[in-house]
Amino acid sequence: MGKKYTDSAALIEKNKLYDGAEALALVCQTAKAKFDETIEIHVRLGVDSRHADQQVRGAIVLPNGTGKTVRTLVFARGDKAKAAEEAGADYVGAEDLVAKITTENWFDFDIVIATPDMMGVIGRLGKVLGPKGLMPNPKAGTVTMDVARAVTEAKAGKIEYRLDKTNIIHCPIGKASFGPEKLAQNFETLMTAIIKAKPAAAKGQYIKSCVIASTMGPGVKINAAKLGG
């Protein structure tokens, strides 16, 4: 570990569970890289993602955005394609974009949005977009007739949250430069959404643990019991 990391880690009590506000202040204090570090949360849930009735997935717009410039790719035709362009989509097309992705291994985008009628066209991209978490999905609001709204929300800081195979949700909630107050607003918005998405089949403690960390910094454990759920 480098000196910056070691110095940062020394500021955190290893076995202490911090309140959210205190944890966010610490994370900002320990983000010492030369670039503006992303702040991420990692939430372990008391569910089993192998069961369809225990999936936790959704999307929300963070009140202060993510601090990241989001590049949007929209699969649409006609009026919907025009609406996406007017909303500020970075790339709009149909079969031409499918060909570009498959033949050129092109991935200069962060979010893929599609109208429902385009899903047949982009179905064969599932094998390349799926593993990268880029395949459009109705639950995430990325398969929609209202492509203009989807583009606007993506640019404003809409993020998707979903369980991985180890029942953990990993999500960015902003940049270190936001400061603790703005990060706290984003954090609370995301946690409220995750708690509301609790499956009826979930038993026992829902939020098992919650850790917050900057890109290069150490993790800070948050008192999960105070988060609800």
Side-chain angles (χ1 to χ4, degrees), residues 1-12 30 32-33 37 213-220:
M1 295 296 180
K3 186 178 185 304
K4 283 182 182 176
Y5 183 96
T6 309
D7 290 347
S8 294
L11 297 170
I12 299 164
T30 56
K32 295 180 177 177
E37 295 183 53
S214 62
T215 308
M216 306 294 287
V220 182

Side-chain angles (χ1 to χ4, degrees), residues 45-99:
L45 299 181
V47 295
D48 189 341
S49 62
R50 292 174 298 178
H51 300 291
D53 63 351
Q54 293 187 46
Q55 287 294 327
V56 178
R57 182 176 187 174
I60 51 151
V61 177
L62 296 176
N64 299 301
T66 61
K68 180 184 177 185
T69 302
V70 177
R71 299 164 299 173
T72 53
L73 182 155
V74 179
F75 286 100
R77 291 193 178 98
D79 290 347
K80 296 299 177 185
K82 188 179 178 186
E85 286 171 358
E86 288 173 352
D90 297 273
Y91 309 100
V92 182
E95 286 84 357
D96 54 327
L97 291 179
V98 174

Side-chain angles (χ1 to χ4, degrees), residues 94-105 124-125:
E95 286 84 357
D96 54 327
L97 291 179
V98 174
K100 188 173 176 68
I101 291 168
T102 50
T103 59
E104 298 177 26
N105 199 31
R124 56 198 165 111
L125 292 176

